[in-house]
Amino acid sequence: TDPAGCRDCYRCVRNCSVKAIRFKKGQAQIVPKLCIICGMCIRVCPQKAKSIHSAMEDVLHAKQEGRQLIASVAPSASAFFNMKDFAEMEKSLKDLGFHAAEETGIEANIVGLAHLEYADQHPDRRPVITSACPVIVNLIEQYHPDLIPHLAPLVSPMIAHGRLLAEKYGPDAYIVFIGPCLAKKMEIYDKAVAGVIHAAMTFRGLREWFAAAGMPCGPTSP
């Protein structure tokens, strides 16, 4: 939260479903242990006083170190950037300096089938709650622990794809996930999967990178 921009409007407090924001000396403060990283406070702030760490500098630093930049791009990129096909995104990312770019959807189908298999093998755990969304996982683990037995013990498509890319491109690969979800930025640091994805970037962050690089030929959001 930018203190200079945060004024006494309380909109973030009213819209936080888990009451993870407190006010102190007229400033909104997020309580980390209560936050589920849903991003609602960022979306509703009229002063645009809330933001999240940009991964662009981290990725550029890795590039300067000579690491191979490998992108895992969420399927919804085609909607955000109004792309006709993934080849447009792949070319634009390579123009930015990425060595390769692949669609996360490759693993989404496999993870989906794994959930189906898990549900069939564990009828006592039904209904099975998929573990692809880190916000849902955070919500259950922090506020509804009684539902944890129903949460599928499977990694998200992002993590599954990251592991696949690591095997394919080797130890020098710097794997960057690009998607719409803010919570992915925290998921990559979860102890169980830390190190699989090196950086997580939002579509908005990538759009800003395209603009900073002066790439009008890159994908553009509608």
Side-chain angles (χ1 to χ4, degrees):
T1 301
D2 175 16
C6 181
R7 306 294 172 84
D8 298 320
C9 74
Y10 301 99
R11 189 172 296 182
C12 58
V13 176
R14 292 195 300 268
N15 285 274
C16 181
S17 60
V18 294
K19 309 303 178 187
I21 300 177
R22 65 183 179 187
F23 259 75
K24 187 175 182 181
K25 296 181 179 180
Q27 299 292 324
Q29 297 181 353
I30 296 173
V31 183
K33 66 179 181 180
L34 301 178
C35 181
I36 59 174
I37 327 292
C38 70
M40 180 60 72
C41 58
I42 296 176
R43 287 192 288 272
V44 301
C45 181
Q47 285 86 21
K48 307 299 181 185
K50 289 181 172 57
S51 61
I52 195 163
H53 172 72
S54 171
M56 185 172 71
E57 291 186 7
D58 300 329
V59 178
L60 288 173
H61 181 69
K63 179 183 175 183
Q64 292 172 354
E65 290 183 333
R67 301 285 297 275
Q68 271 193 349
L69 303 183
I70 311 297
S72 171
V73 186
S76 48
S78 59
F80 186 90
F81 290 103
N82 195 26
M83 298 186 305
K84 294 180 180 179
D85 54 52
F86 186 73
E88 293 182 37
M89 174 61 74
E90 185 177 17
K91 180 183 183 303
S92 295
L93 288 173
K94 287 185 176 180
D95 288 343
L96 283 180
F98 279 79
H99 175 74
E102 297 185 9
E103 296 180 273
T104 317
I106 294 173
E107 285 296 320
N109 184 51
I110 295 175
V111 172
L113 292 174
H115 275 92
L116 178 61
E117 182 179 353
Y118 177 82
D120 289 340
Q121 294 178 352
H122 300 84
D124 57 314
R125 299 293 178 90
R126 294 179 182 176
V128 174
I129 303 173
T130 61
S131 54
C133 174
V135 176
I136 295 299
V137 174
N138 293 340
L139 180 66
I140 290 174
E141 291 181 344
Q142 293 175 222
Y143 294 95
H144 302 284
D146 56 306
L147 295 178
I148 290 179
H150 295 282
L151 189 62
L154 301 168
V155 298
S156 67
M158 176 186 75
I159 298 299
H161 194 216
R163 290 172 175 172
L164 179 67
L165 293 175
E167 290 182 9
K168 183 176 181 179
Y169 294 100
D172 289 333
Y174 186 88
I175 302 170
V176 182
F177 174 77
I178 303 171
C181 179
L182 296 177
K184 292 295 185 183
K185 289 178 174 287
M186 295 303 295
E187 182 186 357
I188 66 174
Y189 297 111
D190 186 275
K191 291 182 180 180
V193 296
V196 175
I197 302 292
H198 300 97
M201 177 175 286
T202 63
F203 290 149
R204 289 185 179 181
L206 179 60
R207 182 176 60 189
E208 292 172 0
W209 191 357
F210 282 134
M215 291 175 54
C217 59
T220 56
S221 62

